[in-house]
DNA sequence: TAGAGCATGTAATATGTTACATGATTCC
DNA sequence: GGAATCATGTAACATATTACATGCTCTA
């Protein structure tokens, strides 16, 4: 449901066609959930079928036709219902990357350190993307602020483990 | 794949039947991914079909028969492949609970504060469960250490937002 | 003797990803 | 003229949840 909520929220701020929506999602490093292209199109269709959104055709020049979606009254109600529930409950986060840590001891500690070292580099890359965002933008998007802090913690934490492993 | 890895890892530490596996997962507050009962049974069947695990029948008294699973050589190889990949890459975490934060401004700030207040209570409950674990146990399970720290940060962070909202 | 626990599932549905299809247009 | 971009999808598969089914045993 969070994916639908995200789409509705974005459409509320301004009407969009699917392609545009996907661009926003891809180029935004601060998205706390994944949402692929084809799934976004599917959800748009589902939500239109359910009366949460409607579209009007639009054509600019000779470019392909676009479906510009906007949120209906019913969709607005639905959005706020979802929002309230999202904020007041605690949809449990998933940390697939943490599962392996409980089995670290099954590997020689120098190999474990090397593997985590390569993860660390990926995390640092993610962090930098967020860190390079203009401060204004980051602070007006609580989710990117959140992720920025999350990755910072992640880096500190990973570095700690690696050091401990290397000193063995 | 992390779910299969988790099951394999648990079975490596000692053989188990499905029911027991589910108990371990339910009673363990430090699991970083969700894994439901029926899904666990299904994954056990899938992995047996693929030759990663085998079972032997066991019966204690007149209790229902159990299938006690153990990891095959092939499954062991698979496990270590999965483990190495898990540690060296960065399977992206999902934060469904963060999506709503970007739309906080669409609600009156006193309502927003109240909603987050109720979330805070849930998070505090999770934190306490982990905090009450004997330190030894927590520290020998990096994932529960991880989650302990995560929830602590979460509490701090949520409290901060709530305060800011209330002062408006 | 009723209800909780033990033990393993199935069926229906929901959700999501990957790879591919299509056909135009603009840029180099 | 060929590649990248615009724009919207479909088909096949993979993954996961929910609710329900079954039947025995132990405990109060």
């Amino acid at each position: 449901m969070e994916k639908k909520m995200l789409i509705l929220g974005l459409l509320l701020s301004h009407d969009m066609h699917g392609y545009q929506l996907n661009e926003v999602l891809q180029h935004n490093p601060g998205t706390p959930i994944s949402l692929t292209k084809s799934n976004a199109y599917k959800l748009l269709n589902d939500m239109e079928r359910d009366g949460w959104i409607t579209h009007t055709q639009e054509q600019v020049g000779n470019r392909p036709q676009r479906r510009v979606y906007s949120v209906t009254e019913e969709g607005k109600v639905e959005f706020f219902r979802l929002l309230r529930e999202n904020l007041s409950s605690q949809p449990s986060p998933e940390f697939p990357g943490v599962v392996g840590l409980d089995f670290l001891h099954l590997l020689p500690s120098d190999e474990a350190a090397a593997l985590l070292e390569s993860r660390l580099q990926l995390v640092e890359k993610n962090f930098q993307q967020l860190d390079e965002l203009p401060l204004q933008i980051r602070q007006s998007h609580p989710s990117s602020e959140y992720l920025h802090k999350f990755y910072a913690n992640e880096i500190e934490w990973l570095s700690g483990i690696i050091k401990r492993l290397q000193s063995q």
Side-chain angles (χ1 to χ4, degrees), chain A residues 69-133:
Chain A
Y69 290 96
S70 56
V71 182
T72 63
E73 268 314 304
E74 210 183 326
K76 218 171 184 174
V77 171
E78 212 42 56
F79 171 77
F80 279 101
R81 205 184 53 70
L82 291 171
L83 178 59
R84 289 191 172 89
E85 207 205 303
N86 182 273
L87 293 173
S88 64
S89 70
Q90 196 226 7
S92 68
E94 295 272 319
F95 300 104
V98 175
V99 179
L101 298 173
D102 281 343
F103 306 115
L104 257 189
H105 62 279
L106 298 177
L107 294 174
S109 55
D110 57 334
E111 186 187 358
L115 292 167
L116 288 180
E117 187 66 54
S118 106
R119 176 192 290 199
L120 178 57
Q121 284 176 23
L122 297 174
V123 177
E124 273 167 348
K125 208 178 286 178
N126 279 324
F127 175 74
Q128 269 181 27
Q129 275 192 18
L130 286 163
D131 200 51
E132 283 163 2
L133 280 183

Side-chain angles (χ1 to χ4, degrees), chain A residues 30-45:
Chain A
T31 315
I33 55 173
S34 83
L35 181 46
T36 58
K37 204 180 54 150
S38 61
N39 197 19
Y41 277 115
K42 192 183 178 298
L43 293 176
L44 285 171
N45 284 326

Side-chain angles (χ1 to χ4, degrees), chain A residues 15-40:
Chain A
D15 295 357
M16 278 189 265
H17 55 276
Y19 192 89
Q20 194 177 356
L21 181 65
N22 280 310
E23 296 247 292
V24 170
L25 292 171
Q26 269 177 24
H27 294 346
N28 185 349
T31 315
I33 55 173
S34 83
L35 181 46
T36 58
K37 204 180 54 150
S38 61
N39 197 19

